[in-house]
Amino acid sequence: NGSKVSYDKLLLANGSANTIPPIDGIGKDGVYTLRGLNDALNIKERLEKSEKVVIIGGGIQGLEIAWILHQHGKKVTIVELLSRVMYNQIDDEASKILRNTIESYGIKVLTDKAVKKIVGGESIEKIVIDENTELNCDIAIYSTGIKPNIDLVANTRIETAKGILVNNKMETNIKNIYAAGDIAEFNHRVPGLWNIAIAQGKAAGYNICGKETLYENITPVTTLNAFGISLFSMGRIEQTQFTKMLINQGSGADDYKKIFVSDNKIVGAIVIGDTKKSPLLKSAIEQEVTFSDAELAERSADELLEQLKKSYK
């Protein structure tokens, strides 16, 4: 409102907003994103007179919305720009299992597809993917990533890239100004994950109060409970980030495990089905538990988990 407030120390924790994809017609009535309570209420009101729903984006939020709407009797189609759902959290094989499970409920999944245009008068009537593919729908909900809310500091000396740049005390380039959570960029990353925001907030709070604390990278953890399965992914799963994989794959989506190892340490994991051992894996990653060559030789993921379980007793 133009008033000024003085401070000794300042914490910027004003989060992020959902990215608005550059689609012609994205502002039409009946096109939504889900970020806050008002978004949810607006979607709920529209759904009372809607049957066909298109979800733009096959990440965690898009999938969870698709599952909930399916349970409420809506006809749902998911459109994902990249080659698989949950592209950043799971690998090809896990994504195939997840996709097959989703489609078994009658939910349509389109990957490698970009929405070119949203068509209708003032209100959405259909989305256009290409000259051969159009989807009639009453409502579209997009979930295509986040954008840190850095506009607030646009005309200041605070340094930004994607987010506000911070050091391992969560301090910006200006003394006594801190940032934490979805707005903060640490080591070139804005993870946008709740467990990381909590840890950054704690580190910032301690340092603001004069108790010097260094933020250490928290293992990114993603969980999905939908489509009748439980799934979690944690740590580093990119091909360039590990040297060995330990695998357990049962039939379908009830028993799939991959543990990724680098320098004889667990660096990441993907599990579909029995997720009870996820705390074991998280602790092993964060504590950098080292295994011998013999402990890793010709072992399945389950066998390594049993070894871990014994070591924590």
Side-chain angles (χ1 to χ4, degrees), residues 24-275:
D24 185 14
I26 196 72
K28 287 188 183 297
D29 187 34
V31 182
Y32 301 91
T33 192
L34 180 58
R35 189 69 184 179
L37 177 59
N38 284 337
D39 296 325
L41 294 175
N42 290 335
I43 291 169
K44 184 172 181 286
E45 182 181 358
R46 179 80 180 200
L47 285 168
E48 289 174 2
K49 53 186 178 183
S50 302
E51 291 302 320
K52 296 178 181 177
V53 184
V54 171
I55 305 294
I56 303 172
I60 289 285
Q61 188 185 62
L63 296 183
E64 289 184 338
I65 294 170
W67 174 238
I68 290 166
L69 297 188
H70 166 77
Q71 289 179 300
H72 283 78
K74 306 302 178 182
K75 185 176 181 181
V76 182
T77 301
I78 299 165
V79 181
E80 168 56 45
L81 176 66
L82 300 174
S83 60
R84 62 177 187 255
V85 294
M86 288 185 65
Y87 188 91
N88 293 317
Q89 293 85 25
I90 57 179
D91 62 359
D92 279 335
E93 194 59 42
S95 189
K96 284 175 190 171
I97 292 171
L98 178 57
R99 178 173 181 164
N100 289 339
T101 304
I102 294 169
E103 291 181 329
S104 72
Y105 285 92
I107 298 169
K108 193 172 183 180
V109 180
L110 304 176
T111 53
D112 277 320
K113 300 293 183 184
V115 176
K116 296 288 194 300
K117 188 186 294 186
I118 295 172
V119 177
E122 289 186 1
S123 187
I124 185 173
E125 293 175 11
K126 61 184 175 181
I127 70 165
V128 177
I129 292 174
D130 53 41
E131 60 273 11
N132 299 316
T133 310
E134 296 182 353
L135 300 172
N136 293 324
C137 59
D138 309 305
I139 180 173
I141 304 170
Y142 62 86
S143 177
T144 55
I146 61 168
K147 180 181 181 293
N149 295 322
I150 60 175
D151 292 350
L152 180 69
V153 301
N155 297 313
T156 71
R157 293 184 294 110
I158 296 173
E159 292 179 354
T160 63
K162 183 178 180 182
I164 294 175
L165 302 179
V166 293
N167 60 21
N168 59 2
K169 295 181 181 179
M170 296 290 106
E171 192 170 30
T172 69
N173 61 301
I174 298 177
K175 187 174 175 59
N176 293 326
I177 298 181
Y178 298 78
D182 283 7
I183 197 170
E185 180 174 341
F186 178 68
N187 280 352
H188 311 292
R189 297 191 69 188
V190 181
L193 293 171
W194 180 240
N195 69 320
I196 291 176
I198 290 171
Q200 288 184 351
K202 285 182 179 178
Y206 276 129
N207 285 303
I208 285 169
C209 293
K211 180 180 177 180
E212 187 170 307
T213 302
L214 300 182
Y215 167 75
E216 297 180 3
N217 267 327
I218 300 296
T219 303
V221 177
T222 304
T223 59
L224 174 72
N225 287 293
F227 312 106
I229 63 171
S230 294
L231 177 154
F232 80 81
S233 166
M234 62 177 64
R236 307 200 305 267
I237 63 165
E238 301 91 350
Q239 188 70 44
T240 57
Q241 300 289 316
F242 61 87
T243 54
K244 185 179 180 67
M245 277 191 305
L246 285 78
I247 302 172
N248 248 89
Q249 186 167 352
S251 58
D254 58 350
D255 183 21
Y256 176 87
K257 299 184 187 74
K258 266 188 185 174
I259 298 174
F260 303 94
V261 176
S262 180
D263 296 325
N264 287 35
K265 297 172 186 174
I266 298 174
V267 295
I270 301 169
V271 175
I272 304 176
D274 179 14
T275 60

